[in-house]
Amino acid sequence: MTCPFWRKRGTNLPEDVQENRKPWRLSKLLGYPSGDGSGREPRISEARSSLGRMIVPVILLLIWQIAAGWLNQPWIFPPVTRVIEQLVHPLREHYASGSLLSNTFISLLRVLLGFLLAAVAGIGLGIAMGSIRIIRNSLEPIVEILRPLCPIAWLPFAIAVFKRGTLPQLFGFGYTRTVFDQVQLGMVFVIFVGGFFPVLTNTLDGVMGVRRNYLLLARALGAKPMQLFLHVYLPASMPMILTGLRQGLGLCWFVIIAAEMLPGAETGIGYLLIFASDNAAMDIVIAAMLIVGGIGAILSLMMRKIMSGLIRWHGKEI
Amino acid sequence: MTLDGTDKHPKEKLIALELRGVCKTFRSDTGDRVKALNDVSLLVHRGEFVTIVGATGCGKTTLLNLIAGLDMADDGYLRLGEDLRFGDNIAHVFQHYTLFPWRTAVSNVSFGLQMRGLPRSERQTRAEELLTRVGLKGFENAYPHELSGGMRQRAAIAQALAIEPKLLLMDEPFGAVDDSTRTELQQMLTDLWQENQTTVIFVTHNVDEAIVLGSRVLVFSERPGKISCEFKICLPRPRNRITKEFTDLFIHVRKSLSGQLD
Ligand SMILES: Nc1ncnc2c1ncn2[C@@H]1O[C@H](COP(=O)(O)OP(=O)(O)O)[C@@H](O)[C@H]1O
Ligand SMILES: [Mg+2]
């Protein structure tokens, strides 16, 4: 605020805008929520922050476009326009590997299935381990050994166990000619492993950190041991559980891309990425990268929204 | 100091609680032994409002926890009245964390009823009635962090009363509210007690509060805690603080509380 440059910039503006200008911060320029968080920011600030959000990406895209034109080797560094061209035609079939959209959908399906299994198992086991000492003591060594293991390392094992089995086959449907035929159990298993440990460890920490006072209060009000799980352990550790779910989902999305890039995969956005790269189609590679990044961001944002809605009380315990 | 004073209690002689020679020693994390309670004896009759006053750290919370069955005594004898059972008809308003932060006021109050398997609509009605009774109408759907300190204590009292307790244990419930709110809450609690005739054991470090509320005031000595003195309070309710009887009593209790140091 002592910087004369900003003060000079503000002097010609109406007073309320000047007022709004005072706590000028980088966070505001980039459009992050700032300040005390009370009430809504005036509209002029919103317009400016969404403009602020746009500036840096637009400049980078421009540099990219100019540099690519200057380099003129699109198989290494294609111009933005060609990547955008791929992105606006997501249904275009690429050789025999399907389209950007269909492969993305397959990857998402695998992730969601594996993640759901991981969430249920992770939360259940986390609560059990956190609240019952015998279970915790007997399982902790196993968890500690398996947890640091990169989920991808499970892939050979998973393929050996599940062979090429798919979800419909598991339920005796055989080949269904649907997208579910692409949901290989081995893939789902690896995703499961990826999501399971973040959910488990966060839930465990959450449950272990439940204030004893809340357990005493519940018991004093007549809660039976089983009721403590549902009405104290679960809600009290919800902030940590949701953190675990968010981390877990993020990791699942990481893992599926890596898993699909390995030999043996035949579909998925990760597969399309490596396939396009083998065919020197760098525009498709970059388009796939942008899609993967975008979906990762959307998933993370979604989880954050759900979290803030579910646990408004978090950090305000009295 | 003796049990025979209580024998002359005019109300029904049914015993709610009896303690004889109860001792409790804690071992801290560093291995030191802290003697929290030393030879506590106490007899409480049905319908009494007993206040226990003592300095911070003299073992008041420990005593309530023993009575509530949340902790075990090392030595001594503890007997609850025949039909009194923890988790059933003994309610406990704790000193801290008196409400579940993830539940609204109304769902906090109905917690005990939910645990007892009451249908949703029934416990909702009952909880709303209680919230109205403690002056929280209109705040049914507020979360604890959206309530003021005094309102939280009101909700906590409603939560305890929801299970229709026969024994109500209260651990410095008004310790963290301002003076005028405290007076209001004391008045409300007195009214509730007169309506329900529940047995109340109320712990406080505030001498004035102990006299305003109690039909009997027990003075707890410094650690190791021990009941050093006992006062029967016959002042009519609602009690007026600005009377000679009250101030005389205040001075007496005060003296016996600090007398231990002389
Ligand atoms: N769980 C515990 N472990 C070790 N010491 C304890 C424990 N609980 C209480 N104490 C000690 O016992 C004494 C009495 O504590 P407390 O009953 O909480 O006092 P009050 O409620 O009167 O302030 C204190 O010195 C305290 O440090
Ligand atoms: Mg205490």
Side-chain angles (χ1 to χ4, degrees), chain B residues 243-262:
Chain B
T243 59
K244 182 155 184 327
E245 290 90 338
F246 192 96
T247 43
D248 281 352
L249 253 170
F250 182 87
I251 291 166
H252 264 89
V253 176
R254 215 31 294 177
K255 267 189 185 158
S256 68
L257 190 60
S258 55
Q260 310 301 313
L261 301 173
D262 299 342

Side-chain angles (χ1 to χ4, degrees), chain A residues 55-164:
Chain A
I55 287 174
V56 176
V58 165
I59 291 175
L60 286 178
L61 288 180
L62 272 176
I63 294 175
W64 173 358
Q65 181 72 6
I66 293 165
W70 174 71
L71 196 67
N72 199 22
Q73 285 177 317
W75 56 92
I76 297 175
F77 194 47
V80 187
T81 40
R82 283 188 54 181
V83 175
I84 292 177
E85 210 262 325
Q86 291 295 346
L87 283 174
V88 296
H89 293 106
L91 290 170
R92 186 182 289 163
E93 294 285 322
H94 298 290
Y95 320 102
S97 58
S99 66
L100 277 171
L101 192 71
S102 67
N103 279 299
T104 305
F105 187 65
I106 289 166
S107 298
L108 264 177
L109 203 62
R110 289 169 178 161
V111 162
L112 289 185
L113 196 67
F115 173 68
L116 277 181
L117 293 174
V120 172
I123 293 172
L125 196 63
I127 292 185
M129 281 177 72
S131 52
I132 303 169
R133 193 198 304 247
I134 307 168
I135 300 185
R136 177 165 69 250
N137 287 345
S138 48
L139 291 185
E140 210 158 34
I142 307 173
V143 169
E144 284 309 313
I145 288 176
L146 296 184
R147 192 169 60 98
L149 190 58
C150 172
I152 293 294
W154 285 90
L155 195 59
F157 171 75
I159 289 174
V161 172
F162 295 105
K163 306 284 184 315
R164 307 188 60 78

Side-chain angles (χ1 to χ4, degrees), chain A residues 23-67:
Chain A
W24 184 283
R25 289 190 211 99
L26 186 63
S27 67
K28 246 186 155 176
L29 180 70
L30 297 176
Y32 295 129
S34 68
D36 54 5
S38 65
R40 282 176 65 81
E41 303 264 321
R43 200 180 311 153
I44 186 153
S45 157
E46 267 171 37
R48 190 182 55 211
S49 57
S50 58
L51 196 74
R53 261 184 234 258
M54 302 292 289
I55 287 174
V56 176
V58 165
I59 291 175
L60 286 178
L61 288 180
L62 272 176
I63 294 175
W64 173 358
Q65 181 72 6
I66 293 165

Side-chain angles (χ1 to χ4, degrees), chain A residues 212, chain B residues 24-29 32-37 54-65 71 95 171-172 203-205 220-221 223-225:
Chain A
R212 196 166 156 266
Chain B
K24 177 74 188 175
T25 303
F26 287 110
R27 198 185 291 274
S28 71
D29 293 336
D32 307 332
R33 288 163 158 273
V34 180
K35 188 148 194 158
L37 296 177
T56 302
C58 71
K60 305 183 296 294
T61 299
T62 307
L63 179 67
L64 282 193
N65 284 345
D71 211 341
Q95 188 171 6
D171 193 356
E172 305 197 33
V203 155
T204 177
H205 62 252
F220 231 60
S221 67
R223 200 175 60 226

Side-chain angles (χ1 to χ4, degrees), chain B residues 173-187:
Chain B
F174 309 147
V177 295
D178 63 88
D179 275 351
S180 63
T181 310
R182 184 186 268 254
T183 311
E184 270 175 43
L185 290 171
Q186 288 164 353
Q187 185 56 51

